[in-house]
């Protein structure tokens, strides 16, 4: 999808206050309203102005938009980076990537509002009311998913300052990470959401867990995959080799005549749980470099004595 510059649409600076955004919106709505402007582009401009204001007038949406759009220009092909919302604290259900075909605006193409309550939904007519639940994403290491633990995370919540500008207020929370937590699961912190009205109990904070990318492992649900380098002779002859895993070292049997890409399954060595995942070692044959005349001679000897054509099945 192409990036839309909502500040450019409204004709305001990125540093504009919420009041300045509101004034710009009202001026442009009057300019492009179908009742007063019959120009060919007026209807689309009217829609664009409404779309821009719907995002920028909401501190939470504006903070999310600013986080993503700081280095993009109008019309550029755009895709949000992974884990862009790490540590962002939102009221309601937060934002998730959406199918662009399901939504009409640039912002909704980026973020589907799934179960998210709008800000300030608490009724002022009720003297006593509970606080809103808040949601945020935290990113943990694979080791923490295996072993659990406890550590501090910094969350950032969008708020309006005294001059009407959106600012991010930070707070630090200590989180107990349960052993065996998987990607996409939520950790509930009771009473850590928004405060209640009139003595009402505070809302809860729900932390969606994401597992940080690891150069040695890939995570799919509770299953974990790793590329396992082996030598050509280990692939040909087979044998027992020592393999490090997130849960400790193991002895693994490589079968004879193993081919690159073959998966060796270690049952129950994935992320722990009532039904633990498995660990899959994906064989990767590594060719030793020729760094001596002796090594060159061995390769030349194999070329002469081993009758093997890996391209024999290609025909021609």
């Amino acid at each position: 999808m192409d990036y839309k510059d909502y500040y450019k649409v409204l004709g305001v600076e990125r540093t504009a206050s919420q009041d300045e955004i509101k004034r710009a919106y009202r001026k442009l709505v009057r300019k492009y309203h179908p009742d007063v402007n019959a120009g060919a582009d007026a209807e689309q401009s009217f829609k664009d102005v409404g779309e821009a204001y719907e995002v920028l007038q909401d501190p939470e949406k504006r903070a999310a938009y600013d986080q993503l759009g700081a280095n993009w220009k109008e019309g550029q092909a755009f895709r949000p980076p992974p884990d862009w919302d790490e540590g962002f604290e939102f009221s309601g259900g937060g934002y998730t990537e959406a199918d662009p075909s399901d939504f009409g605006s640039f912002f909704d193409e980026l973020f589907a509002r799934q179960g998210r309550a709008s800000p300030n939904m608490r009724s002022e007519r009720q003297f006593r009311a509970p606080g809103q639940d808040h949601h945020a994403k935290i990113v943990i290491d694979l080791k923490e998913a295996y072993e659990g633990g406890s550590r501090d995370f910094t969350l950032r919540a969008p708020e309006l300052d005294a001059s009407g500008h959106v600012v991010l207020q930070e707070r630090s929370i200590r989180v107990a990470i349960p052993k065996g937590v998987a990607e996409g699961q939520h950790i509930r912190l009771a009473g850590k959401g928004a405060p209640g009205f009139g003595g009402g109990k505070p809302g809860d904070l729900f932390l969606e867990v994401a597992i940080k990318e690891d150069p040695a492992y890939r995570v799919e649900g509770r299953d974990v995959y790793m590329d396992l380098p082996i030598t050509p002779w280990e692939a040909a002859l087979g044998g027992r080799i020592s393999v490090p895993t997130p849960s400790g070292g193991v002895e693994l049997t490589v079968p004879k005549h193993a081919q690159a890409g073959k998966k060796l399954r270690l049952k129950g060595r994935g992320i722990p749980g009532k039904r633990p995942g498995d660990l899959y070692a994906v064989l990767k044959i590594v060719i030793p470099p020729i760094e001596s005349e002796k090594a060159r001679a061995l390769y030349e000897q194999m070329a002469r004595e081993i009758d093997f054509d890996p391209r024999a099945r290609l025909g021609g």
Side-chain angles (χ1 to χ4, degrees):
M1 75 191 80
D2 293 337
Y3 179 75
K4 280 190 178 181
D5 189 338
Y6 287 147
Y7 292 98
K8 184 177 180 180
V9 170
L10 294 182
V12 297
E13 299 293 329
R14 285 187 168 270
T15 55
S17 69
Q18 295 302 96
D19 284 342
E20 289 172 325
I21 288 172
K22 184 181 293 186
R23 287 196 295 269
Y25 166 72
R26 289 175 174 173
K27 178 181 178 181
L28 292 172
V29 162
R30 289 194 295 269
K31 177 180 178 181
Y32 294 118
H33 196 282
D35 290 345
V36 297
N37 191 330
D41 298 330
E43 182 179 357
Q44 185 59 50
S45 296
F46 185 76
K47 291 179 180 179
D48 290 343
V49 167
E51 178 183 322
Y53 182 67
E54 198 270 335
V55 172
L56 297 185
Q57 60 85 28
D58 182 327
E60 290 188 352
K61 290 183 180 180
R62 183 178 179 183
Y65 176 79
D66 287 347
Q67 171 76 5
L68 287 165
N71 299 314
W72 294 84
K73 295 181 179 179
E74 178 80 16
Q76 284 186 325
F78 176 83
R79 183 170 180 81
D83 295 329
W84 69 269
D85 54 347
E86 178 184 352
F88 261 63
E89 185 177 345
F90 296 103
S91 60
Y95 296 103
T96 57
E97 266 192 78
D99 180 352
S101 65
D102 292 338
F103 302 93
S105 72
F106 166 73
F107 190 85
D108 284 340
E109 287 179 10
L110 294 175
F111 314 111
R113 292 175 54 178
Q114 297 179 349
R116 176 181 181 271
S118 297
N120 305 319
M121 283 288 286
R122 299 169 297 192
S123 173
E124 297 182 0
R125 293 175 294 178
Q126 297 177 354
F127 174 73
R128 182 183 179 88
Q132 281 186 304
D133 292 339
H134 279 194
H135 293 250
K137 179 190 284 186
I138 58 172
V139 179
I140 66 172
D141 297 326
L142 182 59
K143 182 178 180 181
E144 291 173 310
Y146 267 82
E147 301 176 358
S150 180
R151 70 177 171 103
D152 294 327
F153 292 88
T154 298
L155 303 184
R156 295 159 293 158
E159 294 183 3
L160 290 179
D161 64 14
S163 61
H165 293 87
V166 176
V167 295
L168 293 176
Q169 294 291 344
E170 293 189 351
R171 64 163 169 161
S172 181
I173 58 169
R174 179 162 287 270
V175 180
I177 302 168
K179 178 180 178 179
V181 67
E183 179 95 16
Q185 284 191 310
H186 289 79
I187 299 173
R188 174 176 173 262
L189 300 183
K192 297 297 184 179
F197 271 132
K201 69 176 184 178
D204 298 334
L205 174 61
F206 292 88
L207 300 174
E208 180 185 350
V209 174
I211 297 177
K212 184 178 180 180
E213 290 188 5
D214 191 298
Y217 303 100
R218 301 183 301 279
V219 178
E220 294 184 12
R222 292 191 177 277
D223 293 335
V224 178
Y225 292 78
M226 62 178 292
D227 289 332
L228 179 60
I230 61 173
T231 63
W233 48 91
E234 287 171 333
L237 303 175
R240 300 278 290 178
I241 60 174
S242 298
V243 180
T245 77
S247 58
V250 298
E251 290 290 317
L252 186 63
T253 299
V254 177
K256 294 179 181 179
H257 310 300
Q259 298 295 317
K262 181 177 179 61
K263 298 176 184 177
L264 304 182
R265 177 188 177 209
L266 292 170
K267 186 176 180 180
R269 284 279 183 169
I271 295 176
K274 291 183 179 179
R275 292 184 178 180
D278 298 327
L279 177 67
Y280 292 90
V282 184
L283 300 185
K284 181 180 180 181
I285 300 174
V286 179
I287 305 299
I290 298 176
E291 295 180 340
S292 67
E293 287 303 315
K294 184 176 180 180
R296 178 181 294 278
L298 287 171
Y299 276 113
E300 290 174 346
Q301 182 181 355
M302 285 192 293
R304 290 192 305 269
E305 298 183 8
I306 299 177
D307 184 15
F308 176 64
D309 181 2
R311 297 171 294 280
R313 293 185 179 181
L314 296 180

